[in-house]
Each structure stands twice: as structure tokens, then as C-alpha cells.
Amino acid sequence: MNKKSELRRFLRNVYGYSFFNKLILLTPVYAIFMQEHGLTDIQLALMFVILSAGTFLTQIPVTWITNKLGTKPAILLGQLLKALAFVLWLVWPTFWGFAIGMFLWGVEWAFFNVSFEGMVYDELRARHHGRMYARVLGTRYNLQAIGTALSAFGSLLMFAGYGWITFASLVALGLSCVCVMRMRLRSGAGDKPRHRKTNFVKLFKTGVRICGRTPCILLMLLLSLFVANIAYLDDYLSPIGVEIGMPVEFVGMIQFFILGCAVLGQTFAYRFARVRDWILYLTICAGGVAFIVFSLFYSVAGLWALGVAYVLFSAVNVLLYSRFQDFLPTTYRSVILSLYSIGDNLVYIGTCLVIGLGGMLGSWRYSVLILGTVLVGVGLWALLFIRDKCELVPSPGRNAPKTSHPTGKA
């Protein structure tokens, strides 16, 4: 098999995993399912806090386990934990059943962030196709969004009951595992444990020092985290849909529409890989304004504003995350991605608390209004304090920063 065929096979399985991992028919109904079994608005927000807590509290042990097991076994272990979470919700639909399930799902996210993200980037680099990472990332996000959009039809299956919807979701998880097992990694490191002795604590401390001493890593990390999490309303789209007057059976259509907008932004994001930084920062401000506009209209007719926001933020998220990856030294990529995952969940916990506060005020619209205002502030912060400090210039085989390499070498 030639190199191009091997690359296509690898990417097919990457895309297949990304699609089936998101083809979860429970997506549009599990929040409603939880509220039907007694959860209040603030308790629902707490569930997503527990989801994030499961990720960042287990990030260090998950990274250690990944280094011991290898990438592919770690991804498969994460999928098993997610499957257990879905089954637990069905057989024990109480506050504690939902909470434990959310925690297990959070642990799966920890495995995903450490194992899958680093594996894709490093494999492309190993195959001398590092420059196509932004395009691959955008395609992955598109397929994930398509999988989630198709999951929106899960609400149409409410007549069959949650048991059948859960079963269909478990089948999709099984297919995602098949794609992982079919991946052939060039180094082979993803198929077997790493037997070399590693001082993980020392490695982790070094990763923290690299972030602290390399401004562009830290700045791109923070900006990417803010945009990815503060603009993330996916988990609340169903309750928002019910609140603006949509029947429960059709709330999945909101997710279908919003994720279609996300696909649009992600599809064409790579075309703007060389856009100046100040344009990205202005786009963040524009997306925040679109959030505010939706909160003011707050109706089915006002969903166009939320759609515009998702187009903008999905494109910006691809570009920021791609630039963040470009600054990372390969040796410490998994450790710095662990730090990213911890930060990702801390910021998301803050976002969930803000959304919960809006719910306590009497409507999710207040949550959207507050988040939009914060996003405008993030864009202004980037314009005033980051500016063009982390502009990327083209170099053979990859994007290279103007600043020196974190290890001190050019």
C-alpha cells in the first residue's frame, strides 16, 4: 500500500470515528429526560459542571494511563466509559445516577483530549502532511457536527421510548470503536504500551514551564479556550427550544439548524488560515453581538442570529486551535494538551455556572445575553493586549511562529 493510500485509510478511520462518536440519538433528549425525572434548571446546569469535573479531575491519571496503554487502547477505554454512562442513566434515572453517568462521560472526554487530538496531529506530521492539519480539523469538526445534527432526529423517536434511543446510541459508539481499531499508525505507538521509563511528574512540570515561558502558547491556549467554551450552547439547545415555544418532539430541529451553521463555518475555515489576527478578534466581537441579538429577540424567528454566531465561532475555533497546535513542541504535545483539557473544563464550568445563573433569573435568555457580553469583552481583550504578537508566517511543511521554539532552538 503506497503512502497516499495509507494516508487516505488513516483519514477515513479518523473521520469515521469522529462521525459515529457524535451520532448519539440521546443528544437532543437526554437533558429533557433528566428534567422529566426531577432535575431543576440549576441541577441540570450542575450536571454539566460534573461532566467537566470528571474531565479535569482525572486529566493527570488519564494522561498517565494513555502513556502506559498506548493511544488506541486509551481511546477504546474512554468509549467503554461513555457507554456505561448511557446505560446507567436508563437503569437508574435519579440525581445520583445522572451525576455518576456525567462523571464517567467526563472521563471519556479526558481520554479523547489527550489521545485522539495529539494522535491526529502527530500522525500527519509523521507522514509529512502537517500543513493539512487545519483542513483535517475542519473536516473532522464538520463530520462531528453532521453526526450531532443527524442525532437531532432522536427527538422524533420519542414514541419508541428512551430505551430504544439509548440502544441506537450504543450501536453508534460500537461503530466508532471499529474505526479506532482499524487505524494503522506509522509509529505503532498507538497500538502498544510505551515501555520506556518516563518521569511523568517531571514531564508535566516541564509542560507547565513551557506554557509559562512561551507567550504565544499561553495566549493561543487561553483565547481558544474562551471561544470554544463561552460560545458553546449545544448542551442547552433543547431546553432553550422548549422555552421559545417549540414542541418537545421537534426541539432536535434547533440542533440540526445550529449545527448546520457550524458545518458552514468549519468547512471554509481553512481558507482563512492566513488571515490577520485582528480580523479574528473582530470576528469574536461580532459573534458576541449576534448572541446578544438572539437574547433580545429570543424566539424561533430570532434563531437566525444564533446561527450567524455559530458560523463565526466555529470558523474562529478551528483557526485558533490550529494555531495553538502549531506552537506546541512534539515531545510535550500530550502534556500540554492535558493542560488544555484541564483549562477547557474549568472555563466550561464557569460557563455552566453563568448559564445556571440565567436560569435562576427566570429564563435562559439572560444566560445568552451574559455570554454574548463576555464574548465581546474577550474579542476586545485580544485586540488590545494580544494584537499581532502571535502572527504565523509560512515555512516549509508547517506553520511557524515568529518567536523562537520553546526549547530555545530556532
Side-chain angles (χ1 to χ4, degrees):
M1 187 179 293
N2 59 44
K3 292 182 179 180
K4 288 186 177 180
S5 296
E6 287 182 355
L7 177 64
R8 284 195 294 268
R9 177 188 175 93
F10 171 71
L11 290 179
R12 279 198 300 269
N13 286 302
V14 166
Y15 296 150
Y17 168 81
S18 300
F19 174 76
F20 287 115
N21 189 45
K22 289 293 185 177
L23 187 60
I24 307 299
L25 293 175
L26 279 169
T27 301
V29 297
Y30 72 84
I32 296 173
F33 177 69
M34 291 178 179
Q35 291 198 305
E36 286 181 354
H37 285 81
L39 264 61
T40 64
D41 287 350
I42 191 63
Q43 286 177 327
L44 180 62
L46 181 60
M47 288 299 114
F48 297 114
V49 170
I50 293 172
L51 175 70
S52 292
T55 302
F56 82 82
L57 289 177
T58 61
Q59 196 64 66
I60 293 178
V62 159
T63 305
W64 181 84
I65 291 171
T66 300
N67 285 338
K68 293 294 182 182
L69 294 181
T71 304
K72 287 168 58 175
I75 295 173
L76 294 172
L77 177 57
Q79 295 300 86
L80 175 62
L81 294 177
K82 185 194 289 189
L84 289 175
F86 293 167
V87 172
L88 187 61
W89 293 346
L90 184 64
V91 300
W92 191 23
T94 64
F95 176 87
W96 289 109
F98 294 140
I100 295 172
M102 278 294 197
F103 188 85
L104 292 176
W105 196 355
V107 178
E108 182 271 332
W109 266 109
F111 277 110
F112 174 86
N113 290 337
V114 172
S115 306
F116 190 73
E117 295 290 357
M119 177 193 70
V120 174
Y121 190 92
D122 286 337
E123 280 296 307
L124 289 175
R125 289 284 304 279
R127 298 166 190 269
H128 307 291
H129 288 282
R131 294 185 66 178
M132 68 184 297
Y133 178 72
R135 175 178 289 193
V136 171
L137 188 64
T139 303
R140 266 187 49 220
Y141 284 173
N142 279 346
L143 289 168
Q144 288 173 185
I146 291 171
T148 305
L150 292 176
S151 298
F153 292 106
S155 63
L156 299 177
L157 300 177
M158 289 284 283
F159 70 90
Y162 289 104
W164 283 104
I165 297 176
T166 299
F167 175 76
S169 300
L170 293 175
V171 170
L173 284 180
L175 292 173
S176 73
C177 292
V178 172
C179 293
V180 172
M181 291 185 288
R182 285 172 54 85
M183 291 179 189
R184 293 182 180 178
L185 307 187
R186 174 153 295 192
S187 64
D191 300 294
K192 56 187 178 182
R194 300 174 185 177
H195 295 294
R196 65 179 183 273
K197 196 171 182 179
T198 303
N199 188 330
F200 181 75
V201 174
K202 182 178 180 181
L203 190 66
F204 203 85
K205 289 180 178 178
T206 303
V208 173
R209 285 199 300 272
I210 289 173
C211 289
R213 295 176 181 176
T214 312
C216 286
I217 290 180
L218 183 59
L219 290 173
M220 286 297 103
L221 182 148
L222 290 174
L223 194 56
S224 181
L225 288 177
F226 292 152
V227 172
N229 289 281
I230 299 175
Y232 187 81
L233 284 176
D234 298 43
D235 294 327
Y236 299 90
L237 290 176
S238 295
I240 287 174
V242 171
E243 195 169 71
I244 62 177
M246 293 195 71
V248 174
E249 294 80 5
F250 298 105
V251 292
M253 296 302 100
I254 293 182
Q255 292 189 331
F256 192 87
F257 167 69
I258 292 300
L259 291 170
C261 294
V263 168
L264 180 62
Q266 290 158 183
T267 298
F268 297 102
Y270 76 94
R271 295 180 180 271
F272 301 93
R274 297 294 177 212
V275 75
R276 298 297 298 271
D277 285 359
W278 66 269
I279 297 177
L280 290 181
Y281 307 152
L282 280 178
T283 304
I284 296 172
C285 292
V289 170
F291 262 52
I292 294 172
V293 171
F294 171 67
S295 71
L296 296 177
F297 282 91
Y298 205 63
S299 63
V300 175
L303 284 172
W304 66 268
L306 192 59
V308 169
Y310 262 73
V311 170
L312 297 177
F313 285 128
S314 60
V316 170
N317 191 37
V318 168
L319 297 175
L320 289 177
Y321 192 76
S322 177
R323 294 185 183 197
F324 167 65
Q325 286 272 26
D326 284 331
F327 285 104
L328 301 187
T330 300
T331 304
Y332 301 100
R333 187 176 306 281
S334 65
V335 175
I336 296 177
L337 287 177
S338 295
L339 295 175
Y340 180 94
S341 181
I342 292 172
D344 184 57
N345 288 277
L346 288 174
V347 176
Y348 185 61
I349 285 175
T351 301
C352 289
L353 293 176
V354 169
I355 294 175
L357 173 63
M360 291 177 65
L361 292 174
S363 174
W364 299 113
R365 72 185 304 168
Y366 300 120
S367 306
V368 180
L369 176 63
I370 296 171
L371 293 179
T373 304
V374 173
L375 286 165
V376 172
V378 169
L380 292 175
W381 166 71
L383 279 168
L384 294 174
F385 297 102
I386 300 180
R387 290 180 282 188
D388 61 350
K389 293 179 182 178
C390 299
E391 290 274 14
L392 296 175
V393 294
S395 66
R398 61 163 292 173
N399 298 327
K402 289 182 180 179
T403 53
S404 61
H405 193 277
T407 59
K409 297 180 181 180

